[in-house]
Amino acid sequence: MPARFIHPIRTVAIFLVLPVPSLFPLRRRPAQICGSTMVVNINWELQGCCRHNQVVFIAAVGVSTVVILALWRTFLLTPFKLITVFLHETSHALACKLTCGDVEGMQVHANEGGVTQTRGGIYWIILPAGYLGSSFWGMVFILSSTNLLATRIASGCFILALVIVLFVAKNWFLRWLCIGFIIFIAVVWVIQEFTTVHALKYVILFIGVMNSLFSVYDIYDDTISRRVNSSDAEKFAEICPCPCNGVGWGVIWGFISFIFLCASIYLGLVILS
């Protein structure tokens, strides 16, 4: 039988949305059976868009974006900015552990700064994991908001991560931040389970959009507008100078982060189609 070419981008997307069908129940067009192989036709072209749930999803992403940009320099967004910094530092820690290193501690500060102390591991993987990992978690949260079960699982994993960080945090500010968000997510979850107010998915979606936007802004602020010599991009340029300097790596990472945001919206519409 002649080999068939499989589009690489669509292959990656299939692995993102198909492994747990109960989490992301795609509405499929009728399956076609060819010999002993069943081909599942997913609505990649978004034919028939946009249904009511897709319109609500797009509107929720749009409203979240407008609210975040409008309140960017106000204290109201500070807790969500800090939790984004937390996920940035968590991504550094995960990259360190996955490359056989040790995490000695994590800190998040009130000025929206953070640091993760690591020993060992692969440094050129650990460094970009902060910015790109934050964008990845934003994508995960946005996609999780498209389904109730996935929203519950994402919320549970998020609370578990906050509890774990309580034991590795090196400053009390990070500990109180974790405790505050544990209580906040738990209260919203309880309200959803026992009332008709289903706000949990919108909270998860908002955190996802916040992560995606903050990652792009953080890359711009640290590497382009202010050129912070201690930024991850500048450090990465020192150990991997080709093909560009810290600003160049910041632009590349920012572009990748923007792709994550666009991909999350597209895949969310596919899941809801």
Side-chain angles (χ1 to χ4, degrees):
M1 178 181 295
R4 292 188 298 175
F5 174 75
I6 301 177
H7 197 290
I9 296 178
R10 292 188 176 184
T11 302
V12 173
I14 287 174
F15 280 108
L16 282 172
V17 299
L18 283 186
V20 192
S22 61
L23 299 187
F24 303 118
L26 299 171
R27 292 189 180 92
R28 302 178 179 86
R29 287 173 283 183
Q32 300 174 358
I33 300 178
C34 303
S36 59
T37 303
M38 185 175 70
V39 180
V40 178
N41 294 319
I42 301 174
N43 188 14
W44 297 112
E45 296 79 15
L46 295 177
Q47 296 179 3
C49 184
C50 294
R51 297 185 176 91
H52 174 71
N53 54 354
Q54 292 173 308
V55 172
V56 171
F57 173 72
I58 295 173
V61 172
V63 170
S64 297
T65 302
V66 171
V67 169
I68 289 169
L69 295 179
L71 302 178
W72 188 263
R73 299 190 181 279
T74 68
F75 71 94
L76 296 175
L77 276 188
T78 299
F80 293 96
K81 287 183 178 180
L82 293 172
I83 208 64
T84 300
V85 175
F86 159 76
L87 289 172
H88 176 109
E89 300 303 332
T90 299
S91 299
H92 282 309
L94 287 174
C96 176
K97 297 299 291 185
L98 290 174
T99 55
C100 302
D102 293 319
V103 179
E104 297 181 340
M106 285 175 54
Q107 296 183 40
V108 173
H109 304 290
N111 64 353
E112 300 172 15
V115 62
T116 301
Q117 294 91 20
T118 63
R119 185 176 68 251
I122 302 177
Y123 203 44
W124 58 269
I125 293 179
I126 297 173
L127 281 173
Y131 292 126
L132 300 183
S134 183
S135 299
F136 172 77
W137 293 123
M139 180 178 185
V140 170
F141 276 91
I142 291 172
L143 292 180
S144 297
S145 70
T146 61
N147 177 263
L148 180 58
L149 177 59
T151 300
R152 288 168 173 162
I153 292 175
S155 302
C157 292
F158 187 38
I159 290 175
L160 178 62
L162 292 169
V163 171
I164 293 173
V165 170
L166 280 174
F167 296 96
V168 298
K170 289 296 184 179
N171 63 331
W172 273 102
F173 184 83
L174 177 55
R175 293 190 183 101
W176 284 116
L177 177 68
C178 291
I179 293 171
F181 263 87
I182 289 172
I183 295 173
F184 173 64
I185 297 295
V187 168
V188 175
W189 197 340
V190 169
I191 291 174
Q192 172 163 295
E193 297 299 326
F194 293 98
T195 69
T196 58
V197 179
H198 294 166
L200 184 61
K201 68 176 182 179
Y202 295 111
V203 171
I204 293 299
L205 175 69
F206 187 86
I207 293 175
V209 175
M210 182 71 199
N211 268 273
S212 298
L213 294 179
F214 192 83
S215 178
V216 175
Y217 170 80
D218 207 23
I219 292 171
Y220 170 79
D221 190 47
D222 285 350
T223 64
I224 299 175
S225 67
R226 292 190 297 133
R227 191 78 184 272
V228 178
N229 293 327
S230 61
S231 70
D232 295 339
E234 291 292 342
K235 291 180 179 178
F236 188 78
E238 293 176 1
I239 62 174
C240 186
C242 296
C244 48
N245 57 13
V247 175
W249 283 115
V251 172
I252 292 172
W253 294 353
F255 181 70
I256 295 174
S257 297
F258 183 72
I259 289 176
F260 269 118
L261 176 58
C262 295
S264 64
I265 296 174
Y266 167 70
L267 291 176
L269 292 174
V270 171
I271 292 169
L272 294 170
S273 65

